[in-house]
Amino acid sequence: MTAALLEQYRERLRTELDRVVDFWLKYSHDKEHGGYFNCLGKDGKVYDELKYVWLQGRQVWMYSRLYRTMERFHRPEILEAAKSGAAFLQKFARVQASGGPGKCAFCLTRDGRTVKVQRTIFSECFYVMAMDELSRITQDKEMQADAESMMDRLIFWVQTDSSDLGRPQLPGDPPINSMAVPMMLLCLVDQLTEGRTDVAEKYKDLSGWCVERILQHIQRDGKAILENVTLNGKELPGCQGRLQNPGHALEAGWFLLQYALKKGDVHLQKTAVDKFMEIPFHTGWDKQHGGLFYFLDVDGHCPTQLEWNMKLWWPHCEALIAYLMAYGHSREPVLLDRFKQIYNYTFTHFSDEEHGEWFGYLSRQGEVVLDFKGGPFKGFFHVPRCLYMCEKLLDSLLERQDS
């Protein structure tokens, strides 16, 4: 019975991934200037020509990963799409500073002129992922070196001197450990070191640092995962300190589990599931309407984020990966039950049977509030990465059942 159910899931996920890839291949490519249109309506129509660098990088990475690791996507048009996006990024993403190329822009015009620069590291993070993944296909050593050079700059900003980010240190706003930063760096270490022993040696200490920083977010005697803590792992005062982001915690959970499985760290495997999956699932699941809340306050106050009770696509994507990965490791039936629960909500609410791809923003009651398929924060990444990873995890599960 379980094998039949897993096969059913795999078939649906496979079909859905094909539809999502086809949607972006059909509607998002800018054949005149290169790169991709990010702002696509429910039917794929471009409603804004601005290009968001972190979404451009994510799309290059996703095309490249699909081309490299899945036979049915090993198609010329997908490789050419990845190359087009990478060429656009290498030409336009970097913003010139007095000392040479500086940060990556956050937003560009259609033809590559800088519109906005954010004081964060995330455009640069996805630039690294894009260049490294594509270089694995093309064997372009300069592109790989470009990825590592940007990675080294990121590490410097995070661990040594953040002044180049343009964020002044104000007396009333002390530095914090935001979970997004060590999570992203752990993801980048995994990306850069895959199959490369020399690079693994170079970054061997960084992954441990990232894991330590992520584990600091276990608070309230192990009963809560908080989004922001002090640099020495203490709870912050006020709304910022009480903030919970269930989707982020679940994503951190599968990052940690993936790392722990590679290291053979049984204790960390248990922590990843018990703390970073089970806690945010139990606290974040809306028992009245279903789905995961976007933000919560650990003390039960109303979060100050206006969208706190909305149901967004990406936390559900991360939850699907997390619980299927956890089930694949332990075969605990309760973990498969969690996956079923999230799967049933996700595919009855987010997937658009008419036009393809997924809606991203629902009300608490599960109604579509924003009907576009791509925007400044939603691109060709969370949905296809989730479908891709879950299909791969199911392949592995079913192969083991047959053997």
Side-chain angles (χ1 to χ4, degrees):
M1 179 62 184
T2 301
L5 182 63
L6 295 177
E7 182 59 57
Q8 179 183 324
Y9 288 143
R10 181 169 66 173
E11 186 59 32
R12 176 66 192 273
L13 291 161
R14 181 186 177 95
T15 301
E16 196 77 3
L17 178 56
D18 290 346
R19 295 182 76 227
V20 169
V21 172
D22 288 346
F23 183 93
W24 290 88
L25 283 172
K26 182 176 181 179
Y27 297 116
S28 73
H29 295 186
D30 185 348
K31 295 178 174 60
E32 181 178 351
H33 294 283
Y36 320 111
F37 296 114
N38 301 127
C39 298
L40 304 179
K42 66 179 179 180
D43 57 357
K45 185 177 180 180
V46 177
Y47 64 85
D48 193 321
E49 293 182 348
L50 290 177
K51 294 175 178 175
Y52 294 86
V53 168
W54 66 331
L55 300 183
Q56 301 285 311
R58 286 172 166 183
Q59 192 157 346
V60 172
W61 179 85
M62 195 72 247
Y63 279 145
S64 301
R65 178 57 66 98
L66 290 170
Y67 180 89
R68 183 170 71 90
T69 64
M70 275 192 159
E71 185 177 353
R72 73 181 187 275
F73 294 115
H74 195 82
R75 308 196 315 250
E77 66 269 27
I78 290 180
L79 178 57
E80 288 309 308
K83 287 180 177 179
S84 170
F88 184 85
L89 283 173
Q90 287 194 305
K91 187 174 182 180
F92 298 116
R94 305 275 187 94
V95 178
Q96 286 296 124
S98 56
K103 278 181 55 58
C104 287
F106 174 71
C107 183
L108 303 169
T109 61
R110 180 182 177 183
D111 58 1
R113 289 168 291 137
T114 301
V115 174
K116 182 179 180 179
V117 179
Q118 281 194 325
R119 297 174 296 181
T120 63
I121 64 170
F122 302 113
S123 291
E124 292 80 4
C125 287
F126 291 103
Y127 184 95
V128 171
M129 285 181 66
M131 298 308 156
D132 183 80
E133 185 63 30
L134 183 56
S135 75
R136 293 172 181 274
I137 300 167
T138 62
Q139 300 301 306
D140 185 332
K141 296 299 182 184
E142 289 186 6
M143 184 176 284
Q144 182 189 344
D146 187 21
E148 286 187 46
S149 174
M150 183 65 81
M151 179 67 171
D152 294 341
R153 187 174 300 180
L154 283 169
I155 296 167
F156 177 78
W157 289 339
V158 169
Q159 293 190 333
T160 305
D161 184 358
S162 63
S163 58
D164 284 348
L165 297 178
R167 185 190 297 273
Q169 193 58 61
L170 302 174
D173 185 26
I176 66 167
N177 170 5
S178 170
M179 191 158 61
V181 172
M183 277 176 58
M184 271 310 310
L185 289 184
L186 185 62
C187 178
L188 293 181
V189 172
D190 182 68
Q191 171 69 43
L192 289 164
T193 59
E194 181 191 342
R196 292 175 174 160
T197 54
D198 56 331
V199 182
E201 180 66 22
K202 178 181 178 181
Y203 297 119
K204 65 180 181 180
D205 295 330
L206 180 61
S207 54
W209 180 89
C210 292
V211 169
E212 179 185 353
R213 284 297 183 102
I214 295 170
L215 294 178
Q216 288 181 348
H217 292 265
I218 304 173
Q219 295 288 324
R220 303 289 179 99
D221 297 321
K223 297 177 182 177
I225 305 295
L226 301 183
E227 185 72 7
N228 305 299
V229 294
T230 68
L231 291 184
N232 60 353
K234 303 298 182 183
E235 186 172 331
L236 289 159
C239 297
Q240 184 183 39
R242 297 194 305 267
L243 185 66
Q244 295 174 295
N245 183 331
H248 242 167
L250 284 154
E251 186 177 15
W254 73 257
F255 283 8
L256 288 172
L257 181 57
Q258 188 170 247
Y259 172 84
L261 290 170
K262 289 178 181 176
K263 292 290 185 180
D265 187 333
V266 176
H267 177 71
L268 184 58
Q269 292 167 22
K270 181 174 172 53
T271 298
V273 176
D274 292 351
K275 303 301 182 183
F276 287 87
M277 296 182 196
E278 288 289 81
I279 289 174
F281 178 81
H282 284 294
T283 57
W285 189 262
D286 183 348
K287 296 174 179 60
Q288 183 177 355
H289 298 287
L292 291 163
F293 287 115
Y294 193 23
F295 293 110
L296 292 169
D297 183 295
V298 71
D299 286 335
H301 299 291
C302 180
T304 56
Q305 290 80 7
L306 301 182
E307 72 277 32
W308 74 269
N309 66 352
M310 290 178 68
K311 311 296 168 57
L312 271 64
W313 82 106
W314 70 263
H316 296 79
C317 289
E318 303 310 326
L320 288 170
I321 297 169
Y323 276 112
L324 194 56
M325 186 182 293
Y327 173 72
H329 166 58
S330 71
R331 301 298 184 92
E332 288 288 338
V334 68
L335 300 175
L336 184 58
D337 288 342
R338 300 266 191 272
F339 175 82
K340 291 178 189 176
Q341 185 174 341
I342 299 157
Y343 175 96
N344 289 336
Y345 181 88
T346 300
F347 279 90
T348 55
H349 288 81
F350 291 103
S351 179
D352 181 3
E353 294 293 335
E354 181 179 0
H355 298 290
E357 239 285 345
W358 290 13
F359 298 112
Y361 301 85
L362 312 179
S363 68
R364 180 179 179 184
Q365 291 75 22
E367 299 166 345
V368 175
V369 175
L370 305 175
D371 69 1
F372 56 76
K373 299 296 174 51
F377 301 95
K378 182 180 184 295
F380 184 64
F381 183 65
H382 284 100
V383 175
R385 182 177 71 166
C386 168
L387 298 169
Y388 159 80
M389 289 190 65
C390 287
E391 183 181 333
K392 286 280 194 181
L393 289 164
L394 286 164
D395 285 345
S396 179
L397 274 164
L398 289 163
E399 283 171 12
R400 279 183 278 161
Q401 290 215 348
D402 293 340
S403 62

